[in-house]
Amino acid sequence: MRTRLAIVVPVQGAEVFEAALAHLGGVEARWIRYEDEAGIGDSVRQALEEVDAVFFAGPMPLDRCRHLLPEGMPVGVARLGPIDLALALLRAREQGLPLVPASVDTFEEQVAEEFARELGLPPRATRVLPYGPDQEVEEIVAFHLEARRRHGTHYAVTGRSRVYSRLMAELDVPVLRSVPVVASIRSAMNEVVLRAVSARHSNLRFATAVYRLLEESGLYEAGVERVNTLRMFFDAPAFAEAWVEARGDQSVLVFAHKGLLEEITRSWTSVPLLEEVRARLGVRMAVGFGVGESARDSVRHAEMAVRRAMEEGGDTGFLMTEDGLVIGPMGQAEEEPPRYAFKTDEAGLRELARRAGLGVTTLSRLVGLERRLLGAAASAEEIGQALKVTAPSGRRIMRLLRESGLAAPVGMAQPNKRGRPKTLYRLDIVGKLDTP
């Protein structure tokens, strides 16, 4: 099955992304080309209904569309890295330009400083304006013009197409356009495609819902309630693709793929049919959802979750994930956000996860990890290992945390003499949750 990938790129420079995709198999591309990032929202919104993942040409179009992206949608972005800056400096040298001073936007300061050290240049000779989600074209252009006026820069390097056009007209020194190279774009595309495939496989894992009646009815009444409840589940369009059966403990079991239950519960925030059962039959129910690697695991997790819902008094649901995290209580979409086993009444968790571009479960586990670290710093690899994800996924998570202000670099560590130093980060999620 081919992965449907939306690729959001500027018209100018789109050929680089086309070349990157040329040798990436198993992908059906949906191209969204734009002249201005401000006008891509409608096109991306329409594409989201038809694709498995989205790839952005840079952080700016991603930030313009972040609020549109559904939770859990695999998202990739082409970012300017060390090799792209190296190529820009090489083009400057080919033109006979002194390498410093120069002005650079979009790149991280750390990247520019590392290159300066490698080339034996003064570390601050390159004036750098790192990318920021709220940057306007005027601000970036003004930065380059001011760098030219105050520091006598010999050229400018920009990663923004509109800035490039402006500087070509207003700056009296060469302007070099920097775009990610084909190899780095292909690598980032491959990563998001693999995450889309992984998400598809994850959605095919087993999931179970257990709806348990709580009323202590007589033998006849209980039987009638089960029959009526079972009929409601068979008649519900949402459960048309699920296996539904009555059990002897006044409960109904719904067995399906994870993707189906995740969809009808609105990403585990609401409980389908709960209010309808209450209104039509006048009975209360406790609901448990379980996800597992096997059918047995999913049923076992659902039964543990339903017991947790019963402790709450019913008319609610809980979810137990593959790794044992319990999330709830779940109700209607208008009710309070779910709580988590390690922290209750956390109203801002879902909103914070949305802003960071992470899943609620991932952010929940990061909160637990932050508390275990007790303020200690850790590398992106160590955080990835704690979350039981791959090293690239760990670095991606850390990048999203940094961009959303939920983690900050606090130093460097070199585990062995031959390895490259690793940046250490301190998580700051709990503080953001506790802030009104």
Side-chain angles (χ1 to χ4, degrees):
M1 182 177 180
R2 295 170 68 85
T3 299
R4 301 167 301 172
L5 179 66
I7 306 175
V8 186
V9 297
V11 172
Q12 186 179 17
E15 64 277 1
V16 181
F17 295 86
E18 294 169 358
L21 184 66
H23 300 290
L24 196 62
V27 176
E28 178 184 327
R30 166 75 179 271
W31 291 94
I32 301 175
R33 298 177 175 87
Y34 62 86
E35 295 281 355
D36 186 351
E37 297 99 340
I40 60 178
D42 290 340
S43 299
V44 172
R45 184 184 292 105
Q46 294 174 10
L48 289 174
E49 301 177 1
E50 305 170 356
V51 299
D52 304 304
V54 188
F55 186 83
F56 291 92
M60 175 58 73
L62 169 59
D63 285 327
R64 292 296 175 95
C65 299
R66 194 182 295 276
H67 66 288
L68 302 174
L69 301 174
E71 182 180 333
M73 169 72 75
V75 176
V77 58
R79 297 181 184 276
L80 293 171
I83 189 172
D84 307 305
L85 182 57
L87 290 174
L89 297 181
L90 178 61
R91 289 196 296 271
R93 176 166 284 176
E94 288 175 344
Q95 294 183 32
L97 300 170
L99 291 184
V100 291
S103 58
V104 177
D105 67 55
T106 308
F107 288 92
E108 296 292 334
E109 269 187 303
Q110 183 179 357
V111 172
E113 290 178 0
E114 287 177 356
F115 265 93
R117 285 196 298 269
E118 293 291 336
L119 298 176
L121 302 171
R124 298 291 180 180
T126 301
R127 317 309 299 180
V128 180
L129 178 67
Y131 169 76
D134 299 324
Q135 285 174 344
E136 298 292 341
V137 172
E138 295 292 342
E139 176 187 349
I140 304 174
V141 170
F143 158 76
H144 287 287
L145 294 175
E146 180 67 8
R148 171 62 177 159
R149 186 183 67 82
R150 294 186 59 185
H151 305 286
T153 53
H154 299 293
Y155 61 95
V157 179
T158 181
R160 300 280 299 277
S161 55
R162 293 175 61 197
V163 172
Y164 176 80
S165 301
R166 287 280 304 276
L167 291 178
M168 288 291 290
E170 299 181 33
L171 200 59
D172 62 347
V173 293
V175 182
L176 307 178
R177 175 86 187 278
S178 185
V179 297
V181 297
V182 170
S184 60
I185 293 174
R186 183 180 298 129
S187 175
M189 279 186 178
N190 187 58
E191 180 186 347
V192 73
V193 169
L194 289 176
R195 284 193 280 117
V197 172
S198 176
R200 186 162 63 236
H201 289 168
S202 176
N203 284 340
L204 293 177
R205 287 181 180 175
F206 298 103
T208 301
V210 174
Y211 286 72
R212 181 164 297 169
L213 299 171
L214 297 183
E215 311 297 340
E216 292 189 6
S217 307
L219 189 59
Y220 170 77
E221 289 81 358
V224 172
E225 288 166 0
R226 281 204 304 275
V227 170
N228 289 337
T229 304
L230 185 61
R231 183 179 297 120
M232 291 179 62
F233 280 87
F234 275 123
D235 293 341
F239 292 113
E241 300 179 15
W243 173 265
V244 181
E245 69 174 29
R247 300 181 12 155
D249 56 355
Q250 294 198 174
S251 68
V252 175
L253 183 143
V254 179
F255 186 70
H257 291 306
K258 176 186 174 184
L260 174 62
L261 286 185
E262 189 168 33
E263 179 181 352
I264 65 178
T265 60
R266 302 178 186 176
S267 297
W268 313 114
T269 60
S270 63
V271 183
L273 293 185
L274 186 63
E275 289 299 318
E276 191 173 353
V277 169
R278 178 73 166 170
R280 289 178 56 181
L281 303 181
V283 295
R284 293 165 55 248
M285 302 195 79
V287 187
F289 296 93
V291 179
E293 298 282 354
S294 67
R296 180 177 296 179
D297 284 344
S298 72
V299 173
R300 180 168 56 87
H301 289 167
E303 290 173 340
M304 296 173 69
V306 80
R307 287 197 291 271
R308 182 68 180 84
M310 292 172 68
E311 294 174 2
E312 291 279 323
D315 284 339
T316 189
F318 276 78
L319 162 72
M320 176 173 279
T321 66
E322 301 98 314
D323 55 5
L325 178 67
V326 178
I327 302 175
M330 300 157 55
Q332 300 303 305
E334 294 78 15
E335 295 180 1
E336 292 185 2
R339 301 195 302 259
Y340 296 79
F342 55 82
K343 186 176 179 64
T344 59
D345 300 321
E346 194 54 79
L349 190 59
R350 288 189 60 80
E351 173 61 20
L352 198 60
R354 186 193 66 78
R355 283 168 31 207
L358 292 168
V360 174
T361 300
T362 299
L363 195 64
S364 303
R365 294 169 65 188
L366 284 164
V367 171
L369 175 60
E370 180 183 347
R371 288 179 168 159
R372 292 195 300 273
L373 288 172
L374 298 174
S379 67
E381 291 78 7
E382 291 169 335
I383 290 175
Q385 290 172 3
L387 296 178
K388 298 181 180 179
V389 299
T390 63
S393 294
R395 290 191 291 271
R396 182 187 70 85
I397 289 171
M398 181 52 63
R399 186 176 68 237
L400 293 172
L401 292 173
R402 286 188 60 188
E403 291 175 352
S404 53
L406 301 180
V410 293
M412 304 288 289
Q414 189 164 12
N416 54 70
K417 294 183 179 179
R418 295 187 177 181
R420 295 185 62 183
K422 294 183 178 181
T423 303
L424 298 179
Y425 302 92
R426 181 170 292 118
L427 298 176
D428 184 21
I429 307 170
V430 176
K432 298 296 190 298
L433 290 171
D434 291 339
T435 301

